[in-house]
Amino acid sequence: MSEVLVLVDHADGVVRKSTFELLTLARRLGDPSAVFVGEGGEAAAESLARYGAAKVYVVADPDVTAYLVAPQAEVLAQLVEQVSPAAVLVPASSVGKEVAARLAVKTGSGLITDAVDVRAGGEGVETTQSVFAGSYTVTATVTRGTPIIAVKPNSATPEEASAAGEVVPVEVSISDAAKAARITDTQPKKATGRPELTEAAIVVSGGRGTGGDFGPVEAFADSLGAAVGASRAAVDAGWYPHSNQVGQTGKQVSPQLYVAAGISGAIQHRAGMQTSKTIVAVNKDEEAPIFELVDFGVVGDLFNVLPQATEAVKAAKG
Amino acid sequence: MNIVVCVKYVPDAQSERTFDSDNTTDRVGVDGLLSEIDEYAVEEALKIVEASDGEVTVVTMGPAQAADAVKKALQMGAHKGVHVSDEALHGSDAPATSLVLAEAIRKIGAPDLVITGMASTDGIMSVVPAMLAERLGLPQVTFASELTVEGDTVTIRRDGDVASETIVASLPALVSVTDQINEPRYPSFKGIMAAKKKPVEQWGLADLGVDAGQVGLDAAWTKVTEFAKRPPREKGTIVVDEGDGGTKLAEFLSAQKFL
Ligand SMILES: Cc1cc2nc3c(=O)[nH]c(=O)nc-3n(C[C@H](O)[C@H](O)[C@H](O)COP(=O)(O)OP(=O)(O)OC[C@H]3O[C@@H](n4cnc5c(N)ncnc54)[C@H](O)[C@@H]3O)c2cc1C
């Protein structure tokens, strides 16, 4: 079987759940090979092997790690050239999609972004995407080159399937052009202890209706073990970081459960959450458009409803 | 400082967006407008030029109606427009779009900066900026929430998931901007009048030396084989809080096995 390259998403060596999802999907297309860029590849190989990586290509060259997207695309292009994979799967994060974009141009290959499913079809690799704020489902295939697919987090349930996980160090030569954009400073985000927004099974978001007090939203999120999101109105007001924004110009999330509190449901917000499995809203205004989407809605003041719900959830969980 | 801003004409998200019989996005039968995120790109270009000197050229690729996107940018204050339009472009995918835009930018002349929006409001793919940088051989600094140009370097701040990063690149460079970067201006009456006299070049593929066989639906590197309208979500249960709204919410979550 051909190899399927999977670009590993990790934070300082800790592999993200989305990578295990990609490895699980990759097994439908061939033998998964993980591509790990950065420090800590050898340590990560064990977990990657557990989810089916037969090989783990490790690139720890500072020429790659100190720069942005372009060197990663060159690494993958070199590997595509060497192993002629059946497909390349990358996480549909902003960096992942850009790496994929450059790789597509470099190798003359078709690129599909934000896939929610990947499978082997009659005409090669087949994908499912959700477009126009979730109002359409599209099936697409790649007709040229090596299929390059950027897959959204939460698109598959990670399944273990032990494989060799053979570590293969990769020597690369990175062009000067690829090193033209440099990261000069990194300010890590404060750790919140909550799950990552795009990976979380449950997301609780607050909007302008919080009036700037995210306390009830956070408390409810914590009772459910959820990530916290925010509407752009809340982000613009400076109440919550931009990296927590859900919507067209924020994160696109697809959790099992999405709770919108004090959010009206503007089309740009919907674009980021409409594919969630179950949707719940708390809003004072019974006419709020968010209620058109919900499985369960409470017309009421979030400052009353959320604390009561938080207590009830805690009691139920014991 | 000469800046090229790439803008896109998109179907209005408030209207009913759909597909044509050939599985491409319907761009003709629906109301369209300048992709809102591109307004931030135009605004940022204008701010840079106003603080130094030079010109802002907006370029779009799209059907006849896409002229509206160029017009809006000119009304905001851009100096010149370029509209690339050709029958053969219909159904072009991101690689083809980036090829055409790259050739158009070369023809406009080597700009110091190419600015785009972080994504279009219809596709939300966020790949054309990276592809353009690849094709033009420019350093790529994308998703800028702050941008400063000093001498021959551009510095941006980018909000990542785990960290906020400062990224530096030498000019010429390609930058994409988020909607955090500024507050786009509304065209003034004066701006609207002035826009009528601003030059807009009309280019076809022949003008760019791009072969029609490299673009359009048939040359696309991907193919939509099927699309289906999602069934509308079933109407949910809505309760009015009468002092027990939170309890009812928890009961729903429990019944759905979320607890
Ligand atoms: C280019 C562009 C990109 C955009 N991208 C995004 C994006 O990525 N994400 C995004 O979210 N938006 C985005 N927007 C903005 C979007 O159009 C809306 O303005 C925004 O989503 C509104 O946020 P909101 O629902 O919190 O605020 P509002 O629309 O003001 O709604 C607040 C809601 O809270 C309710 N409320 C008030 N008080 C209470 C209370 N005590 N208890 C319960 N309910 C209460 C009100 O009834 C109201 O429905 C974008 C806009 C543009 C132009």
Side-chain angles (χ1 to χ4, degrees), chain B residues 112-129:
Chain B
D112 301 293
L113 267 179
V114 177
I115 307 185
T116 73
M118 59 173 266
S120 62
T121 57
D122 56 345
I124 337 189
M125 283 175 72
S126 289
V127 297
V128 167

Side-chain angles (χ1 to χ4, degrees), chain B residues 18-41:
Chain B
T18 181
F19 291 91
D20 265 345
S21 54
D22 60 359
N23 294 1
T24 61
T25 302
D26 181 358
R27 301 191 184 280
V28 177
V30 294
D31 291 338
L33 76 180
L34 169 62
S35 175
E36 277 172 309
I37 306 173
D38 293 342
E39 290 182 21
Y40 296 84

Side-chain angles (χ1 to χ4, degrees), chain A residues 204-221 228-241 244 258-265 269 281-285 300-307:
Chain A
V204 180
S205 293
R208 202 195 306 271
T210 62
D213 177 3
F214 263 65
V217 170
E218 290 185 335
F220 189 49
V228 175
S231 73
R232 177 168 145 189
V235 171
D236 281 354
W239 301 338
Y240 231 69
N244 292 69
Y258 186 86
V259 181
I263 292 177
S264 62
H269 188 77
V282 180
N283 196 303
K284 272 204 306 211
D285 174 11
D301 190 325
L302 70 92
F303 290 96
N304 299 327
V305 177
L306 290 188

Side-chain angles (χ1 to χ4, degrees), chain A residues 267, chain B residues 10-17 30-33 36 121:
Chain A
I267 185 87
Chain B
V10 297
D12 188 347
Q14 310 291 345
S15 66
E16 188 75 15
R17 292 178 290 182
V30 294
D31 291 338
L33 76 180
E36 277 172 309
T121 57

Side-chain angles (χ1 to χ4, degrees), chain B residues 16 64 90 167 214 249:
Chain B
E16 188 75 15
H90 174 78
I167 298 160
Q214 288 178 279
L249 172 51

